[in-house]
Amino acid sequence: MQTIRSREQRTALIFLLPALILLLLVFGYPIIRAFWLSLFTKNLGTELQPIFAGFDNYIRMVGDGRFWNSLWTTTIFTTASVIIELLLGLGIALVLNQKFVGRGVMRTVAILPWALPTALIGLAWAWIFNDQFGVANDILLRLGFIDTGINWLGEPTLAMVAVIFADVWKTTPFISILLLAGLQSISPDLYEAHSIDGASSWQSFRQITLPLLMPQILIAMLFRFAQAFGIFDLIKVMTEGGPGGATEVVSMYIYSTVMRYLDFGYGAALVVVTFLLLIFAVVLASLLLKNLRSRSSQF
């Protein structure tokens, strides 16, 4: 029996080996290359040949206020987006899991925002939040909530609200579909047995739905956290990091450092530190969600 199991494991490893090699080339090599490049001073605007600088780029990063501001902006954007998307996605998944006429059509329509290109969505929302011709101001003016147009993308706080709103609109369907798949895997017999014991709908949701849905919640949270932390195209199209850097996330700062200032060495250091911070945050989020799952299963 042990020999058969070992043979199956070797066979599985052989089949997985091409995929592992591909992942190593696609993800591993760029990170290693970026770390190596971060040890050099390579700015095409000042010198043609790279100069070995050790960890000078990382020391420079400690006093770089623009980097810390962009990291704080990224944290705010990621936290707000993921939390709102999770709550809305869970609510939509619970609705789509019910039986009603046209459920199939509604499920198809619900996934459309996520299927559209992000750059196109960003352009559309930039027009929606336009202070002179935008639909958002027009609706608020017609309803009498405001007397004059709001400069959504020209005020720091409002600009952040606008990009978060656009991101939530686009990516909430992704979470809702993942959670809907998890809801459909839960047997209805569990709810029937629970209701016979006198449990309410809220008790069934807390004691059955949440614990059994926690793996899908974990997967959705990790996917969205990684995507939101590396957001670029949506903010680039809507605000370009403005006004005054209020919506400049880390990815946009790295883009400016490399493409505008041609500082490849420092840009590589920013990439390495951002990657390490992302890995740390994902691991921490995994541990917290697993702890939450174990507590939920106790109810």
Side-chain angles (χ1 to χ4, degrees), residues 72-125:
W72 175 245
T73 302
T74 306
T75 303
I76 295 175
F77 175 85
T78 302
T79 303
S81 298
V82 172
I83 292 176
I84 297 174
E85 289 163 8
L86 178 62
L87 296 176
L88 292 178
L90 180 58
I92 294 173
L94 291 172
V95 172
L96 294 179
N97 193 45
Q98 304 299 317
K99 294 181 180 180
F100 57 89
V101 179
R103 182 175 64 172
V105 177
M106 289 299 299
R107 289 178 177 178
T108 304
V109 173
I111 198 65
L112 287 180
W114 181 67
L116 295 174
T118 306
L120 179 62
I121 294 300
L123 184 61
W125 281 105

Side-chain angles (χ1 to χ4, degrees), residues 222-265:
L222 293 181
F223 267 105
R224 278 303 303 139
F225 184 87
Q227 292 174 348
F229 197 86
I231 188 70
F232 175 80
D233 43 5
L234 180 69
I235 295 181
K236 176 67 175 178
V237 173
M238 289 189 65
T239 64
E240 294 190 1
T247 59
E248 184 182 57
V249 291
V250 173
S251 59
M252 290 200 63
Y253 179 44
I254 295 174
Y255 176 83
S256 298
T257 302
V258 175
M259 303 303 295
R260 180 179 299 178
Y261 305 114
L262 303 179
D263 196 345
F264 291 91

Side-chain angles (χ1 to χ4, degrees), residues 9-27:
Q9 291 177 348
R10 286 195 300 268
T11 303
L13 181 60
I14 292 173
F15 281 109
L16 287 174
L17 192 59
L20 294 176
I21 295 175
L22 181 61
L23 287 175
L24 183 62
L25 292 176
V26 173
F27 294 102

Side-chain angles (χ1 to χ4, degrees), residues 147-178:
D147 297 326
T148 182
I150 299 175
N151 189 9
W152 292 97
L153 303 181
E155 298 291 336
T157 303
L158 294 178
M160 177 61 70
V161 172
V163 294
I164 291 175
F165 190 94
D167 185 70
V168 168
W169 183 87
K170 174 175 171 53
T171 54
T172 296
F174 172 75
I175 292 184
S176 64
I177 292 301
L178 284 180

